[in-house]
Amino acid sequence: MSDKPIAEVLNRRRFLGAAGLAGAGAMLPQLAQAEAPKPDPLITEVQDWSRYLGEGVDKRPYGMPSKYEKHIVRRDVSWLTASPESSVNFTPLHEIDGIITPSGLCFERHHGGVAEINPADHRLMINGLVDKPLVFTMDDIKRMPRVNRVYFLECAANSGMEWRGAQLNGCQFTHGMIHNVMYTGVPLKVLLNEAGLKPNVKWLMLEGADAAGMNRSLPIEKALDDVLIAFAMNGEALRPENGYPLRAVIPGWQGNLWVKWLRRIEAGDQPWQTREETSKYTDLMADGRSRKYTFVMDAKSVVTNPSPQAPLKFKGRNVLTGIAWSGRGTVKRVDVSLDGGRNWQTARLDGPVLDKSIVRFYVDFDWNGQELMIQSRAIDETGYVQPSKDELRKVRGVNSIYHNNGIQTWLVRPDGEAENVEIG
Ligand code: MTE
């Protein structure tokens, strides 16, 4: 920051004109030479919003973002899937900050479209190897002891298009199958205790009420550890697209297990070998064999700004930011490189650093217009270091779709535009 008193800085800026205000530092010397100072009408004229009364409190019973933020939306990639009902859209990571994803921007992934369920008609059944099969209404669930937790949900297919090289130009598309929200819900172990598990229970099967009837097998150790049955996100009811009125929250594990519109939990002594854990969500290795039940999402990070959808606009002072996460606990450190991994600096983490949650990192830096190769690398509390894409391919080959947590590189050109690239 300048040492000059604020009044003096403001006075100087007032004579710069609109472009000077928008362009701040970098444009300052050229402008001073090219044009005589012009008064800025945004300062000298009374604007409409100051002249006329605004809308009253009765106009927005449920608030929406400003009309000037209209471009900030989830987006899909039309060629990726055959139909929008069994598809995915992506969180605009380059347009959000902090650690919480606004509910309306959380990416959606569903296999049979959004189930629209009246909560009065919703039931959750617990059956199978239990002492007492039970059926809960939403009212029953809301009378059980509840907790609040912030967790990331990452689809196992996030960055799945990047296995064979740089594909999609924007962190929304390369990394946007993730969101991070605060859930309110009942620990699954509380519900299971009510039903009473038989001693030989090893697995549960979670089933959704959507047209896909999506179901997955979950090991009992995880179910009794930190799994929640959630009815709220970010303080309000789950959104329909995210599982209203009830979903499973499986912290740190791949998003496919987080069954939405949850209607049944069956207890058993072995996995169900469902479609989603045999033909899908398995990792095809170089030798043609498949890894199954790879639940945990390993540590990963991405620089969200600058990135292809968010180029650098100004020389001089800039803020680089991004997100990091780990399915094994907290993120301990994030390193950032501006020269393709030759030199690394430790980024500043800001905001809460929570278990199995996104953390926000920043590097405040000066840009002179030189070419940059921006990378970030997450290190979690277990000491696990996010691998380069080449290191990952050495172990996994290139046949995989899922679990790509390789280091992302953005090339920033002298004009500030950024591009998805790979360093060999
Ligand atoms: N649950 C049901 N019932 N049906 C689905 O299609 N999709 C799964 C999971 N739960 C799905 C589901 C997948 S693949 C993912 S990645 C997450 O939900 C996505 O959750 P979101 O839509 O809240 O982002």
Side-chain angles (χ1 to χ4, degrees), residues 127-130 197 200-207 214-220 264-278 292-293 295:
N127 70 332
L129 297 178
V130 292
L197 293 174
N200 54 337
V201 172
K202 292 207 173 55
W203 290 81
L204 301 179
M205 190 270 289
L206 276 52
E207 180 185 79
M214 213 211 71
N215 60 349
R216 279 295 304 253
S217 307
L218 178 72
I220 193 67
R264 195 163 71 90
I265 299 174
E266 187 174 338
D269 57 3
Q270 50 195 322
W272 271 255
Q273 316 282 0
T274 73
R275 172 187 179 273
E276 306 295 329
E277 56 206 29
T278 51
K292 223 167 38 163
Y293 301 121
F295 298 124

Side-chain angles (χ1 to χ4, degrees), residues 230-246:
F231 49 82
M233 61 197 273
N234 292 339
E236 61 179 2
L238 295 172
R239 293 286 171 94
E241 54 272 40
N242 305 110
Y244 180 86
L246 205 58

